[in-house]
Structure formats: C-alpha cells, structure tokens
Amino acid sequence: MHDELIARAQAWLAEDPDAETREELAKLIDAGDHAELAARFGGTLQFGTAGLRGELGAGPMRMNRSVVIRAAAGLAAYLKARGQGDGLVVVGYDARHKSADFARDTAAVMTGAGLRAAVLPRPLPTPVLAFAIRHLGAVAGVEVTASHNPPRDNGYKVYLGDGSQIVPPADAGIAAEIDAVTTLTAVPRPDSGWEILDEGVLNAYLARTDAVLSAGSPRTARTVYTAMHGVGRDVLLAAFARAGFPAPELVAEQADPDPDFPTVAFPNPEEPGAMDLAFAKARETEPDLVIANDPDADRCAVAVKDGSDWRMLRGDEVGALLATHLVRRGVTGTFAESIVSSSLLGRIAEKAGLPYEETLTGFKWIARVDGLRYGYEEALGYCVDPEGVRDKDGITAALLITELASVLKAEGRTLLDLLDDIAVEHGLHATDQLSVRVEDLSVIADAMRRLREEPPTRLAGLPVTRAEDLTRGTDTLPPTDGLRYTLDGARVIVRPSGTEPKLKCYLEVVVPVATPTDLPTARIRAKDLLAALKQDLSTAAGI
C-alpha cells in the first residue's frame, strides 16, 4: 500500500511544473510521511458546479498548477467537442497565492488547444470577468479565485458563453474530459500566443455600473469601505467617483490586496470579527453606512448605525431593501432568489405585480431565470444588472444601496426606517443561520441521515406542516441534497455547504405586525422563536 502511494507521488512529482510544489512533495516522499501523502493522493479534487476549490499544495487533492492545467485541458476538450474550438476564453484572477500562475497556465492550455485566450490585465473583481465574457462574445470564462475562503485556499470557477456559471450537466461533461487527461506531457502549453487585455474591458464594465442608478438621484450618502484585503478597492472607488458619490473612507489596514489576509481569521464579512476594523473606522468618521466587499468583490455587506453602535445587516435585509428600492423606481421583470433566502422577496414581488421565482442555491441558478431583473441570495450576493453581469456583483450592489441611503437621507430617514416600513407592510421576516463547521465530513452525513430517518414533527413549539426531502426534487426545483420544513409561521432548510466543510441550517420566522408600535414586541417574539428553532434543530440533527 505504502509502495503504491510512493509510486503515485513520484509519478506526480516527475510531471509537476512548479518548483515550489515539487520541493514540498519531494520532502514528503523523502520523509516517508505516508499520512500526509495519503491525504494528498487519496483521490482527486472533484470538479463540480463550483468548479474547483481547495487548499494549495502538491498532489491531486490540492490546488496546484498540475491540477489547474488538467482542468483547463478538460475545459478546452469540452468546448472543442461542442464545435467551439476556435472560440475565445477569457481568464480573470484575484490576488491570492498562485492565482496569476493559474491564470497564465489556463491561457497557455487554451492557446495550445487551438482556442483563443485573453487574460484580464491584473487582479480584478469576479464580476468584471463575468461581464467580459458577454462583452467580448467569449465561449467560456475562467475566474481563478477562492472568494472568501481561508488564505491557504484557491479555486477555479468556470462560466460558459452566456456569462453565468456552469450547471449540470456541463460540470459532469467537463469533469469527464478532465479525467481523460492521462499525462501533462500530452497537454501543449506554448509560452505565448494569448492576449493580455487592456483597460478597455474594465472601462466598459465601469460605464455599465452607471446604468444601475436613476438619472438625477441624490448621491449624498457617506460611506466607510473595506476591501477585506481583496481586489475590490480600485474598481469600487472608480465606480463611486463616476456616480458622483462622496469618496468612501477606506479601512486602510484592509485596503490593499494581501493573500495572507493578516487582519481577519476568515476573509468573509459574515464571519465574527471580520468587520471590527470597519466599525472602528465608522465610529471615528460617522458615515451613513459601512460597505464591505469579500476578497473577489462579488459579495457586498452593508452595516448601519443601530442605536449607539454599528451592526451588519443580514443579506436578507439588504435583499429586501434593494427590491423595495427597485419596485419604487418602477422596474419590470422577474425577481428571483434561492430557496435559502427569505420568503419576503416573494411578498414584495407579489404586491408589486412582478413575476417571482425560487431557485436552488447559487447564482448559477438565479442567473438563468427567464426575464431576470433582480436576484439575490442571503449570503450577501446581489445581481442588480443582469444584462451586464449574470452573477452576483458586489460593486453594483454597493452603488445601489448607497443610492437608496442617499434617497432616504434626503427624506431625513435611514435604511432601518425603511426596514420598519417593510415589516409593517409585509410582516416581520426574521432570519438566522445555524452553521456548523466540521473537520470530519461524516458529521454532516450523519446529521442529514438522522433528520431523514427521524424528521422532527415540532420545532420551537410550532407544528411541522410539511417536511420535504429535496433530493427528490419538487414541482419547480431539480433534486438537491437538502431538507425543507414548513411550519406554522416559520421555515427551516438544512443542507451541506457546496464550497466549505459546513452544515448550514437556514431559519426564518414571520411575525405579523399591525402597526409600527407593535414592532418591538414582534422583534422579541421573532428573536425567541429563532433561538428555540436553533436549539430544537441542533438536538434533532445531533449537532
């Protein structure tokens, strides 16, 4: 067994084009570190609907140049098999470790396979890549990013020519072509032949950002902004300057791209502590709102002053605010969200007489909704310009929420005042999440099995009126690994995360509100219900 492991590691080492991972692997082989070698050679990093994502390092279970070259070769073969062998593939990348190398390798493989390749001029937000695909008429796009994962991770996100991320069966088709790559020596990688794009694509993207705002709208709201050590700063500042907003106050410690993310444990605005520096800056400068992007700037977090201090709004709260703003502007088209997001969007759309659709989790599904005008997901993702970017976009979302804050400011009101109005009009929709990060993935499988075998009949004292196993699909949704419980005045969805070792439980309660004076009582009721839901669900799932 050990001999076979060493033999596989040596065969990989012989082909590895990266001096850094070659040295790392050679040390493991020399040390006879069978446990570590088994962790790296016990399988291959699976290519799925999120593309690839994993820890950097040597071996087929890690993200490295060998894995990326194989992935690029598989994508090229997939495109050629569909008659797109002379098409253009656009490649973007973030500022993480190895991202520029992975982007260059991808361009080389595409060029070697006879396709045309173009690489964005420098590390830029993911939405710029999503925009560039359609803008340049490409047949596919690749973004090298691990979004808001820990510093040691990187990833590989694939889009097809419609500008949205791949969905089944394309993922399985590409994965099969990747598996068919036997040896890296069979993959031609010329040293040149691809194009490095100029600023034209970014300028075209920035020109489109203006379109998300209303002509002549107030542009007075003052912001504090953090790029979370990612690539959002320069593009967001340029977009805000074009729009005529006051220049955002930057959180200096997090403004420059830094692949080590030194000030945060996890570079995700939703993680505890990630917004602390932004809040400190806000206490110092007293802006109207705080805006944060995640490291690849496809997500947007918003924080407001609530009483004497600052708090981050939930993704569902921002989702409802943006929807209400668009409705008031008289937009037409379909509003869409994923099943794990608040049911409030459906109520807003219904009252406005707009079509509404619910999709599986992920923007790869939301972006495909026919006639989409606005889509959002509770994990801080908002698509406010689907004609320009068929994906979540943290830059245009930041512009739109700042426009809304400016409109309210002109009326002497705030985002919190509008949230109160929405609660009175549609009922208080309060959401929370029970998220369990695990070292051992079997914990997640055990919890899902337990809930399937013994589904809860009551949670938080409320009867479960319907229990759905989403692996069977529904009338409107394809099958997915998830469970949905409908209760009298509440809803619970449980699913394994698609990108991290986490079990995620999405909780929502709806409390009727007759008048504004009933809001404080409704909030206490909602808070108590959510706490009880969390407790009872934990017990039921054995977590």
Side-chain angles (χ1 to χ4, degrees), residues 203-492:
N203 291 336
Y205 168 82
L206 286 168
R208 262 210 83 91
T209 62
D210 302 351
V212 305
L213 304 174
S214 290
S217 62
R219 310 274 166 96
T220 56
R222 292 171 49 252
T223 54
V224 157
Y225 171 71
T226 175
M228 208 68 67
H229 298 296
V231 297
R233 178 193 60 198
D234 294 350
V235 178
L236 182 127
L237 290 180
F240 269 57
R242 285 180 69 102
F245 287 113
E249 291 271 0
L250 297 179
V251 178
E253 302 94 325
Q254 298 175 333
D256 294 327
D258 187 331
D260 294 319
F261 304 102
T263 68
V264 285
F266 286 97
N268 177 356
E270 292 178 293
E271 293 281 351
M275 296 289 283
D276 288 357
L277 288 170
F279 291 164
K281 187 74 175 176
R283 290 181 202 111
E284 187 190 307
T285 58
E286 291 293 322
D288 298 298
L289 69 165
V290 173
I291 286 172
N293 285 138
D294 67 338
D296 69 326
D298 62 352
R299 296 167 195 245
C300 175
V302 180
V304 293
K305 194 165 190 185
D306 190 0
S308 61
D309 209 358
W310 289 81
R311 82 164 171 97
M312 202 167 103
L313 295 178
R314 292 192 164 277
D316 286 319
E317 291 176 306
V318 177
L321 287 168
L322 291 176
T324 301
H325 184 41
L326 291 169
V327 164
R328 290 180 176 181
R329 278 176 32 180
V331 305
T332 56
T334 302
F335 280 20
E337 64 180 341
S338 63
I339 56 170
V340 298
S341 306
S342 170
S343 59
L344 177 55
L345 185 68
R347 298 200 182 187
I348 292 169
E350 185 183 12
K351 187 146 191 187
L354 294 172
Y356 164 78
E357 274 199 46
E358 205 177 43
T359 73
L360 292 186
T361 312
F363 263 82
K364 56 184 178 279
W365 297 109
I366 295 170
R368 286 183 154 69
V369 167
D370 282 344
L372 181 68
R373 176 57 187 84
Y374 168 65
Y376 98 90
E377 190 154 74
E378 54 70 48
L380 313 183
Y382 313 93
C383 174
V384 300
D385 176 26
E387 285 305 300
V389 176
R390 287 203 182 161
D391 199 2
K392 54 188 177 290
D393 183 346
I395 306 294
T396 48
L399 286 171
L400 198 61
I401 197 73
T402 309
E403 178 184 61
L404 173 57
S406 300
V407 169
L408 292 166
K409 187 178 181 179
E411 299 167 359
R413 303 174 76 238
T414 67
L415 294 173
L416 290 179
D417 294 327
L418 181 53
L419 281 173
D420 287 351
D421 294 351
I422 293 168
V424 172
E425 187 173 357
H426 302 287
L428 177 66
H429 289 62
T431 55
D432 202 357
Q433 204 182 107
L434 172 62
S435 185
V436 184
R437 186 182 287 274
V438 299
E439 290 293 321
D440 178 2
L441 288 174
S442 70
V443 174
I444 294 176
D446 289 346
M448 294 298 284
R449 190 182 64 247
R450 188 167 169 164
L451 288 169
R452 284 192 170 102
E453 288 172 0
E454 297 175 49
T457 54
R458 291 180 82 80
L459 292 167
L462 304 171
V464 175
T465 55
R466 188 165 62 163
E468 297 168 279
D469 187 342
L470 299 176
T471 49
R472 301 188 181 110
T474 71
D475 293 345
T476 54
L477 297 170
T480 186
D481 186 9
L483 300 163
R484 177 163 60 181
Y485 303 111
T486 305
L487 299 93
D488 197 7
R491 186 207 65 192
V492 172

Side-chain angles (χ1 to χ4, degrees), residues 13 16-26 58 65 98 101:
L13 180 66
D16 190 339
D18 188 323
E20 213 172 300
T21 44
R22 274 203 313 273
E23 184 183 348
E24 179 189 319
L25 185 53
R65 290 183 59 199
K98 298 287 183 185
D101 294 343

Side-chain angles (χ1 to χ4, degrees), residues 70-94:
R70 281 181 164 79
L75 175 59
Y78 176 86
L79 294 170
K80 289 169 81 168
R82 275 147 192 77
Q84 297 176 316
D86 58 351
L88 173 69
V89 178
V90 195
V91 185
Y93 59 103
D94 67 11

